[in-house]
Amino acid sequence: MKHLLTLHDWSTEEILDTLNLADKLKYEQKHGIEHHLLKGKTLGMIFSKSSTRTRVSFEVGMYQLGGYALFLSANDIQLGRGESVYDTANVLSRFLDGIMIRTFKQSDVEDLARFGSIPVINGLTDLVHPCQILADFQTIREHKEGQLKGLKLAYIGDGNNMAHSLLYGGAKVGMDISVATPPEYTCDAQVVKNALEDAKATGAKLTLTCDPQEAIKGADVVYADTWVSMGQEEEKEEKIKVFSNYQINKELFSQADKHAIFLHCLPAYRGYEVTEDVIDGPQSVVFDEAENRLHAQKAVMVRLLGKQ
């Protein structure tokens, strides 16, 4: 395993081993046990999209692992001025031990991996967000007695990169994923096809519907994401109208399992995709989830940049 481009590319064993390593690193960090597993290593972090959690977690994570992270905004490097991905990948491969990129097009991430000679980590694209899912799964295991397989997760909202990544991840670990989207905003057909193929090996049940109540019924985990992703601001007013029946409020949430937990990848817009009484309520674990970005991504970096 050389890159993290999508979870579709990883095996079930690779995902679970990474989660186990994330748990170990979290325990050590909480107990002051130093783990400089990437001493002397360098990670270039390319940001075409701004972020709070992605930048801070990767930068702090590399520091805690004994390495060094370089923040590279698209405007700070020649990639933002028209230099080819081919040239950028080749040059950065001479300087760095790994690249994390947060950008718009999935093809840019794949081209960096194809043309470079160092590991590439997808920090988010418009298609998928694999690092977030690893943090989500770590959080679910913490709150659901170490389990993933056999649980039901309901995602309510846009058929976007989070919905795609949950389908990929759930299919790999045997978790049932139920996605409810408006008819105009369904998931990418190729992603769905890939995930359904992966699900055959694990027995995961993947359900796509336009009915939020059907999706959430009996769910162990309920998941929301912003209705308006970065770069889609001009669609805001239209999306608010279309998604008005897809808000996760107390009434809808009550149809999940009584012990259900609530997840949101953040940033959250209270009063839109979720109400305050849900995201700030006792069953919300969104800040545990945000913290686990640090631990899950440290595990990814150790696996890809480390000696093994």
Side-chain angles (χ1 to χ4, degrees), residues 198-246:
D198 289 341
K200 293 177 182 178
T202 62
K205 182 181 178 183
L206 307 182
T207 303
L208 303 175
T209 180
C210 295
D211 184 352
Q213 296 187 18
E214 177 189 350
I216 205 170
K217 187 175 181 181
D220 303 288
V221 184
V222 179
Y223 204 113
D225 186 18
T226 178
W227 293 339
V228 184
S229 298
M230 196 176 301
Q232 300 176 349
E233 287 78 11
E234 72 281 358
E235 302 176 31
K236 181 177 179 179
E237 294 306 317
E238 178 62 25
K239 278 197 162 186
I240 289 173
K241 294 176 185 176
V242 172
F243 283 89
S244 60
N245 293 325
Y246 291 80

Side-chain angles (χ1 to χ4, degrees), residues 4-20:
L4 176 55
L5 308 182
T6 78
L7 290 179
H8 175 59
D9 304 323
W10 280 25
S11 69
T12 299
E13 292 71 26
E14 287 168 335
I15 293 172
L16 295 178
D17 286 349
T18 301
L19 293 176
N20 292 337

Side-chain angles (χ1 to χ4, degrees), residues 52-230:
T52 299
R53 282 151 292 279
T54 299
R55 177 174 180 181
V56 175
S57 56
F58 270 106
E59 198 160 329
V60 171
M62 274 302 281
Y63 172 80
Q64 292 180 356
L65 291 168
Y68 183 76
L70 298 86
F71 174 77
L72 307 169
S73 85
N75 294 325
D76 294 334
I77 59 176
Q78 298 299 327
L79 186 64
R81 298 178 58 199
E83 184 172 43
S84 70
V85 175
Y86 175 85
D87 287 354
T88 300
N90 275 280
V91 169
L92 292 182
S93 294
R94 304 295 180 102
F95 296 144
L96 303 168
D97 297 294
I99 297 171
M100 187 285 298
I101 179 169
R102 180 180 171 93
T103 189
F104 295 89
K105 295 191 295 184
Q106 179 71 15
S107 60
D108 286 346
V109 179
E110 293 172 354
D111 286 346
L112 272 178
R114 181 157 59 100
F115 297 132
S117 57
I118 55 177
V120 172
I121 300 169
N122 184 345
L124 174 141
T125 65
D126 288 344
L127 184 70
V128 289
H129 195 357
C131 290
Q132 179 66 55
I133 300 305
L134 292 172
D136 296 340
F137 284 179
Q138 184 178 14
T139 308
I140 293 167
R141 296 207 311 180
E142 289 173 350
H143 290 272
K144 292 295 178 182
E145 300 178 342
Q147 297 300 306
L148 292 174
K149 188 176 178 64
L151 295 178
K152 177 182 177 180
L153 182 149
Y155 171 90
I156 314 293
D158 191 3
N160 60 10
N161 51 8
M162 284 310 308
H164 296 158
S165 299
L166 287 165
L167 287 169
Y168 275 159
K172 290 288 186 177
V173 302
M175 179 188 293
D176 295 343
I177 306 292
S178 188
V179 174
T181 66
E184 308 96 311
Y185 293 95
T186 55
C187 294
D188 179 85
Q190 187 61 52
V191 169
V192 173
K193 182 180 178 181
N194 293 342
L196 287 170
E197 191 63 33
D198 289 341
K200 293 177 182 178
T202 62
K205 182 181 178 183
L206 307 182
T207 303
L208 303 175
T209 180
C210 295
D211 184 352
Q213 296 187 18
E214 177 189 350
I216 205 170
K217 187 175 181 181
D220 303 288
V221 184
V222 179
Y223 204 113
D225 186 18
T226 178
W227 293 339
V228 184
S229 298
M230 196 176 301

